[in-house]
């Protein structure tokens, strides 16, 4: 059976695969446009988009806004007909300015997690940009839908449900991430489908629900489509592609990782995260890593007490300074054994999924 399209209002992606936004700068215009050209949705990470601008250290916010514009324009040039989104963490101090910049650049979608994007409908008002919260429970889906309903008489254009096997920041407490308490994504999907039903009805709107976290194969994709999801968001597998924007050493860290290397960490963003164990994480177990420069970027971060600067750690990693950086990854990173092109990966996923759906 052919994979269904993913329809978000008037946007139609030929295949129901979203490449998850990966910060900092792991997914930029290169990866996002390659995915969009294959019929999926490519997502640029909105975290430190200016990391290679000359004034990144001295004029961080402006460098990031400029970098964001450049990346969106580049992605459009590389994929004029593709669907391109951008991902912002609600926890970022410059959230509003960055989101407004993306809307000015006529981005197709803004996807937002690491907090509830309460103000997003007001920021996007009057634009054609679709707005998409990332949630980790039916309760959170209901909460954000209720807030948008009350504050701006609107409902989400799509909802991404990110389960506990995802990479990057996780919307669960440390206790919820223990093997005995960990919720499974299948149950979360069912809960979210129920939670958003009243809002879809009220606004006479189809709100696609997307499954994310630990989706590795086409068979996984088919499983979530059968459960009622309209698509999937995948991060980890897109790291090991030629088009991924990270340094080759970042990609190799995924290929070289073993199951026991993938661990839960604490982040200054105030949520747990998942990353590959390396010298950086080992040294953090012994002592905090002092902060030489504060980028003033995360709402919840106090530079006087934070154990490390997450911005520096992420930027070091994406530049390939692997021993000094934080390598976010999903729980399945160790299953990857080679770098392929985005076209090859998508072909493999789609073929497997279609077979499993048949
Ligand atoms: C290296 C890396 C960086 C990530 N950064 C972000 C981010 O900045 N914002 C976000 O919402 N999700 C982030 N994520 C999560 C992905 O977008 C995606 O939803 C998740 O990884 C899906 O699980 P998977 O990796 O098992 O496919 C990141 C994931 C990885 C692997």
């Amino acid at each position: 059976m052919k994979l269904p399209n993913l329809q978000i209002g008037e946007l139609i992606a030929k295949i129901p695969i979203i490449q998850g936004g990966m910060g900092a700068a792991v997914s930029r215009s290169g990866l996002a446009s390659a995915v969009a050209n294959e019929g999926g949705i490519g997502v640029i990470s909105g975290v430190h988009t200016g990391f290679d601008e000359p004034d990144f250290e001295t004029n961080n916010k402006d460098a990031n806004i400029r970098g964001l514009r450049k990346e969106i324009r580049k992605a459009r040039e590389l994929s004029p007909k593709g669907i391109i989104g951008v991902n912002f963490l609600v926890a970022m101090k410059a959230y509003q300015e960055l989101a407004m910049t993306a809307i000015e650049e006529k981005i197709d979608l803004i996807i937002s997690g690491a907090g509830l994007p309460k103000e997003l409908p007001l920021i996007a008002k009057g634009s054609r940009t679709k707005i998409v919260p990332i949630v980790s429970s039916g309760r959170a889906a209901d909460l954000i839908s209720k807030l948008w309903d009350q504050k701006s008489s609107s409902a989400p254009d799509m909802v991404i449900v990110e389960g506990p096997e995802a990479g990057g920041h996780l919307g669960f407490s440390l206790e919820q991430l223990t093997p005995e308490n960990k919720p499974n994504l299948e149950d979360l999907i069912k809960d979210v489908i129920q939670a958003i039903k009243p809002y879809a009805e009220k606004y006479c709107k189809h709100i696609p629900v997307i499954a994310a976290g630990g989706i590795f194969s086409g068979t996984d994709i088919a499983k979530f489509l059968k459960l009622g999801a309209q698509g999937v968001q995948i991060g980890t597998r897109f790291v090991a592609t030629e088009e991924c924007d990270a340094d080759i050493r970042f990609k190799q860290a995924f290929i070289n990782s073993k199951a026991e290397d993938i661990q839960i960490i604490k982040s200054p963003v105030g949520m747990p995260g998942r990353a590959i164990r390396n010298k950086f994480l080992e040294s953090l177990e012994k002592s905090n890593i002092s902060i030489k420069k504060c980028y003033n970027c995360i709402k919840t971060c106090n530079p006087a007490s934070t154990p490390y600067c997450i911005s520096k750690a992420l930027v070091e990693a994406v530049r390939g300074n692997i021993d000094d950086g934080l390598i976010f990854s999903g729980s399945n990173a160790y299953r990857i054994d080679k770098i392929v092109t985005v076209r090859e990966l998508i072909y493999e996923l789609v073929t497997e999924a279609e077979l499993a759906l048949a």
Side-chain angles (χ1 to χ4, degrees):
M1 196 187 120
K2 213 172 142 23
L3 271 186
N5 291 333
L6 169 58
Q7 180 154 12
I8 315 157
E10 74 283 4
L11 295 178
I12 300 179
K14 284 199 196 102
I15 56 167
I17 298 178
I18 302 172
Q19 160 256 309
M22 293 182 280
V26 174
S27 67
R28 302 183 97 195
S29 52
L31 179 57
S33 62
V35 174
N37 280 334
E38 295 305 317
I41 298 182
V43 181
I44 297 169
S45 154
V47 177
H48 289 313
T49 31
F51 90 108
D52 50 359
E53 290 290 303
D55 55 349
F56 178 70
E57 296 294 330
T58 50
N59 190 13
N60 183 261
K61 193 164 89 178
D62 290 348
N64 284 335
I65 290 174
R66 200 180 321 117
L68 176 64
R69 269 192 214 287
K70 282 190 189 172
E71 286 302 312
I72 295 175
R73 289 179 189 185
K74 239 195 257 178
R76 284 256 178 265
E77 260 173 52
L78 295 168
S79 180
K81 293 193 183 133
I83 303 179
I84 303 285
V86 65
N87 174 302
F88 297 117
L89 304 182
V90 178
M92 288 170 4
K93 279 192 182 161
Y95 181 86
Q96 182 154 346
E97 284 131 298
L98 288 163
M100 281 165 65
T101 304
I103 289 165
E104 271 170 35
E105 293 295 324
K106 302 196 167 36
I107 196 77
D108 295 315
L109 309 94
I110 292 181
I111 297 174
S112 253
L116 288 177
K118 295 181 201 158
E119 310 299 334
L120 197 48
L122 297 174
I123 300 173
K125 203 172 175 183
S127 76
R128 296 176 77 87
T129 299
K130 306 285 176 261
I131 52 176
V132 181
I134 302 177
V135 300
S136 293
S137 65
R139 215 185 117 254
D142 177 49
L143 189 62
I144 192 68
S145 304
K146 195 175 284 163
L147 280 168
W148 286 10
D149 175 32
Q150 288 168 354
K151 276 186 153 205
S152 53
S153 302
S154 67
D157 294 307
M158 175 166 82
V159 175
I160 296 178
V161 188
E162 204 178 64
E165 306 300 338
H169 291 106
L170 304 169
F172 302 93
S173 64
L174 287 173
E175 295 73 50
Q176 286 174 307
L177 291 170
T178 56
E180 58 277 15
N181 294 328
K182 223 187 319 190
N184 70 55
L185 183 55
E186 290 85 338
D187 292 338
L188 298 176
I189 289 289
K190 289 185 211 155
D191 291 349
V192 172
I193 290 174
Q194 286 310 317
I196 60 161
K197 249 189 194 155
Y199 303 96
E201 277 164 19
K202 178 167 178 184
Y203 290 96
C204 297
K205 178 172 180 176
H206 169 63
I207 307 176
V209 171
I210 304 297
I215 293 167
F216 194 83
S217 66
T219 313
D220 296 336
I221 297 175
K223 176 173 74 182
F224 287 104
L225 295 180
K226 282 183 192 162
L227 274 175
Q230 268 78 46
V232 296
Q233 173 167 287
I234 297 178
T236 296
R237 290 221 61 189
F238 282 109
V239 171
T241 60
E242 280 173 19
E243 294 90 339
C244 170
D245 297 278
D247 186 272
I248 181 72
R249 287 165 287 186
F250 188 92
K251 303 176 191 180
Q252 271 158 354
F254 276 53
I255 293 169
N256 297 337
S257 68
K258 298 186 198 68
E260 60 271 25
D261 298 332
I262 296 165
Q263 65 175 78
I264 298 294
I265 58 137
K266 287 187 186 166
S267 153
V269 168
M271 305 164 85
R274 180 175 279 107
I276 299 178
R277 187 171 181 77
N278 62 350
K279 286 198 177 136
F280 174 79
L281 289 180
E282 279 163 19
S283 67
L284 254 183
E285 280 166 10
K286 294 181 200 118
S287 64
N288 288 353
I289 296 172
S290 67
I291 295 182
K292 297 202 177 78
K293 181 195 160 41
C294 175
Y295 295 94
N296 196 25
C297 55
I298 303 287
K299 289 176 193 161
T300 46
C301 180
N302 174 0
S305 59
T306 184
Y308 62 98
C309 168
I310 189 157
S311 295
K312 178 165 177 5
L314 291 175
V315 167
E316 291 295 344
V318 80
R319 285 186 172 142
N321 301 326
I322 290 304
D323 291 346
D324 300 321
L326 179 60
I327 312 165
F328 271 151
S329 86
S331 65
N332 278 326
Y334 72 95
R335 291 170 63 189
I336 298 176
D337 57 10
K338 60 175 187 295
I339 295 174
V340 294
T341 62
V342 164
R343 175 166 288 181
E344 286 165 340
L345 175 58
I346 289 190
Y347 179 79
E348 175 194 316
L349 293 172
V350 169
T351 314
E352 260 181 34
E354 292 186 339
L355 205 66
L357 284 174

